[in-house]
Amino acid sequence: MALCKGKTIYHTLLGIYKQQISTSYFSTNKVLSNMYKDRVPSVQSIGELNALCIDDKPVEKKIRIPAKSEFSSAVTYDPIVQKFINILMRDGKKEKTREIIEQVLENIKMKQIENYHKATTDAEKAMVVTDPLKVFHGAVENCKPLLILKTIVKGGSGYRVPVYCHERRRLRVGINFIIKTCDTRKRKVPLSTVLATEILQAYNNEGNAVGKKHQLHKECEAQRAFAHYRWK
Amino acid sequence: ILIRRPALEVMDILKRLNYNYPLTRFLLYGEMNAGKKFTMTHIMHYCRSQNWVLLTVPWANEWNCKRLDVSFNHHKESLFDLPVHSKILLEDFLLKNMSLIKEFTTSTTYEFSEHEASEQGIPLTDLISFGITRMKFANDVVGALLKELQILANNDKIKLLVTIRGINSFWRKTGQKKEKVQEIHAQQLTLVNQFMELLQSDTKNAVAMCSTESWVNDVTDRKSYLPTELMGKEGVDFLEPFLPIEVPKYGNAELQSVMDYYIDRRWIQAPEAKTLDGRAQIKFLSGHNPYQLYRVCVPL
């Protein structure tokens, strides 16, 4: 009895170890999660692993999903930029949106280099940020809201309730704010120039996209009487 | 130091040439975006510092593609005039060589039509400004200018440099339109005939630099870059005794020095791209092409 129990525990542990080596969604440099970072496994290859469990009981296996074609380990890859491209894309035309965003990064870089060379003193030069990716990350961070309104139906009528949410949802709301302020119908100027000015303003906490976030926060404060509706 | 090797070769040859012999012709060829225009500007800058007179045609396919006015020629019936394009050429020439042409005067009279003619002994700048204001006779003024420059060069007064970029557009069909005329070939334009006469003449103290480009063809037809394929048999027979110069892609040492220049000028910003590993990735992605190197480093 004791031997059988040990065998089943051993099998399930091996199965778990085999499944859990997967790439996480938002990490560029860390392939293994933090748990397995410093451990040196005693089994070095998959062949040795398979040789250990002789009668292969069918453990519940998750279906392995193949990686999407946009992931890569190149120098030019950034996961947040990739998310932006996916949300901007329409009708499955990814090459067109990728070219738009290349233009946006080029415009940001050119403007900041101009400001760098115009600044005379050393102290001013150190304040100007010329890295386009840093400006991009900073602008998206400034546009993320802290709370979100969610409709909860109680007693026949719906109330809008302020609620915490996951990091993923906040990213998507932040990116949507930036896109919807720029993508108006009556526009005679290409999208890349409008996006570049908007992102530079958002990095300095000005402009319309950050204004939308402030408006959301004000509405959450107005509805804070219904905050207890979150729990039944 | 960012000068490329073909430019240094041409400058070396120009220092040792014997200028009593007639025209020498250079031909630059190479793959797309390999840097032919860049070497041409280096050589033009060198010649300007030695006080040469520059005659430049920045893009010869404009005469084929850009649709501005077309008119019939007065003197010969089968040729077509391009007044607006020749006006642009004359304005460009005046701007570049204003300080060098001040003293020279015309040697003979030129008749443009029955009532109008220019006399002998007018300064050259007056001739050119007459061509700019009266666009109807601009093409004839260009022909007169070229003859004057040949006479001046034969008398050992000036030195001439003629640069034409995209010479393989001389043997193609144009897209210009005129009522009741079906198709116009490039050999039926007066501008093309005037430059072809210049290139085959026997002037001393003159050098001609041409380049064949694959940009001239359609989008689907741009794979070949060798001059025999681009110019055809007629072109090679026309330009027969010429000096070919190849403009190659980047070598390994050139790539490293260009990337150092980009880091100094703040075009490459990401800290991952400044390491040895990152440079090897950029080298692979660009394929040793100068223009692709520039485009790969845009989001970095």
Side-chain angles (χ1 to χ4, degrees), chain A residues 154-218:
Chain A
K154 189 147 186 184
S157 55
Y159 301 96
R160 297 175 76 199
V161 174
V163 139
Y164 287 118
C165 55
H166 202 272
E167 174 85 29
R168 282 184 243 134
R169 178 73 191 147
R170 287 199 283 154
L171 228 199
R172 187 167 261 259
V173 172
I175 291 176
N176 271 333
F177 282 163
I178 297 178
I179 289 176
K180 288 195 177 168
T181 54
C182 300
D183 201 357
T184 55
R185 288 288 124 178
K186 287 185 182 179
R187 138 176 85 83
K188 295 187 179 180
V189 168
L191 225 196
S192 43
T193 46
V194 187
L195 262 178
T197 50
E198 194 61 51
I199 287 174
L200 264 180
Q201 280 178 342
Y203 182 69
N204 297 326
N205 272 319
E206 304 161 348
N208 286 333
V210 185
K212 282 195 179 180
K213 178 189 94 165
H214 289 318
Q215 219 183 7
L216 225 198
H217 282 180
K218 278 187 202 168

Side-chain angles (χ1 to χ4, degrees), chain A residues 28-29 73-77 102-103 105-106 109-110 113 116-117 128 130-133, chain B residues 265-273 277-278 281-282 285 294-300:
Chain A
T28 55
N29 296 325
S73 59
V75 185
T76 54
Y77 174 72
E102 242 193 62
Q103 274 285 310
L105 292 175
E106 192 181 346
K109 209 198 275 188
M110 295 291 237
I113 290 178
Y116 176 82
H117 284 302
V128 176
T130 47
D131 200 350
L133 278 179
Chain B
R265 290 277 101 196
R266 302 196 149 224
W267 186 243
I268 297 180
Q269 288 277 338
E272 291 173 349
D277 222 1
Q281 279 192 24
I282 295 176
L285 278 175
Y294 181 77
R295 294 310 299 183
V296 163
C297 301
V298 162
L300 285 181

Side-chain angles (χ1 to χ4, degrees), chain A:
Chain A
M1 279 287 281
L3 272 178
C4 290
K5 264 194 185 173
K7 210 175 173 184
T8 52
I9 293 174
Y10 185 63
H11 274 302
T12 49
L13 274 180
L14 271 177
I16 292 170
Y17 186 80
K18 270 197 220 174
Q19 285 169 22
Q20 240 173 359
I21 303 175
S22 59
T23 61
S24 60
Y25 198 63
F26 280 113
S27 66
T28 55
N29 296 325
K30 307 171 192 171
V31 176
L32 289 176
S33 56
N34 271 327
M35 252 172 57
Y36 297 100
K37 192 175 166 187
D38 292 326
R39 276 197 203 180
V40 178
S42 56
V43 172
Q44 294 293 334
S45 67
I46 298 181
E48 287 177 346
L49 241 191
N50 284 333
L52 279 177
C53 27
I54 300 168
D55 23 300
D56 216 29
K57 254 189 173 180
V59 187
E60 286 184 42
K61 285 187 185 172
K62 282 186 192 171
I63 304 170
R64 293 272 179 94
I65 308 171
K68 294 187 182 177
S69 62
E70 61 221 17
F71 289 120
S72 73
S73 59
V75 185
T76 54
Y77 174 72
D78 196 53
I80 296 182
V81 175
Q82 212 35 255
K83 191 79 181 168
F84 199 96
I85 291 175
N86 287 343
I87 294 174
L88 235 195
M89 173 173 74
R90 260 189 238 162
D91 291 341
K93 295 185 177 180
K94 195 168 258 189
E95 273 205 38
K96 207 172 179 182
T97 52
R98 197 155 43 96
E99 284 169 12
I100 290 175
I101 288 182
E102 242 193 62
Q103 274 285 310
V104 165
L105 292 175
E106 192 181 346
N107 285 347
I108 294 176
K109 209 198 275 188
M110 295 291 237
K111 279 186 189 175
Q112 291 292 83
I113 290 178
E114 230 188 283
N115 289 341
Y116 176 82
H117 284 302
K118 275 185 191 171
T120 45
T121 65
D122 270 342
E124 284 180 34
K125 285 197 177 185
M127 296 285 288
V128 176
V129 178
T130 47
D131 200 350
L133 278 179
K134 277 190 190 169
V135 173
F136 197 84
H137 287 318
V140 166
E141 284 265 352
N142 283 340
C143 276
K144 283 190 204 172
L146 288 171
L147 298 172
I148 279 182
L149 289 173
K150 184 180 173 181
T151 51
I152 294 181
V153 176
K154 189 147 186 184
S157 55
Y159 301 96
R160 297 175 76 199
V161 174
V163 139
Y164 287 118
C165 55
H166 202 272
E167 174 85 29
R168 282 184 243 134
R169 178 73 191 147
R170 287 199 283 154
L171 228 199
R172 187 167 261 259
V173 172
I175 291 176
N176 271 333
F177 282 163
I178 297 178
I179 289 176
K180 288 195 177 168
T181 54
C182 300
D183 201 357
T184 55
R185 288 288 124 178
K186 287 185 182 179
R187 138 176 85 83
K188 295 187 179 180
V189 168
L191 225 196
S192 43
T193 46
V194 187
L195 262 178
T197 50
E198 194 61 51
I199 287 174
L200 264 180
Q201 280 178 342
Y203 182 69
N204 297 326
N205 272 319
E206 304 161 348
N208 286 333
V210 185
K212 282 195 179 180
K213 178 189 94 165
H214 289 318
Q215 219 183 7
L216 225 198
H217 282 180
K218 278 187 202 168
E219 284 183 7
C220 287
E221 268 230 35
Q223 305 270 341
R224 73 187 153 172
F226 302 112
H228 63 282
Y229 281 3
R230 219 180 76 175
W231 307 276
K232 275 193 180 177

Side-chain angles (χ1 to χ4, degrees), chain B residues 200-212:
Chain B
Q200 276 193 330
S201 60
D202 285 334
T203 52
K204 299 193 255 175
N205 292 326
V207 171
M209 247 184 13
C210 323
S211 79
T212 57

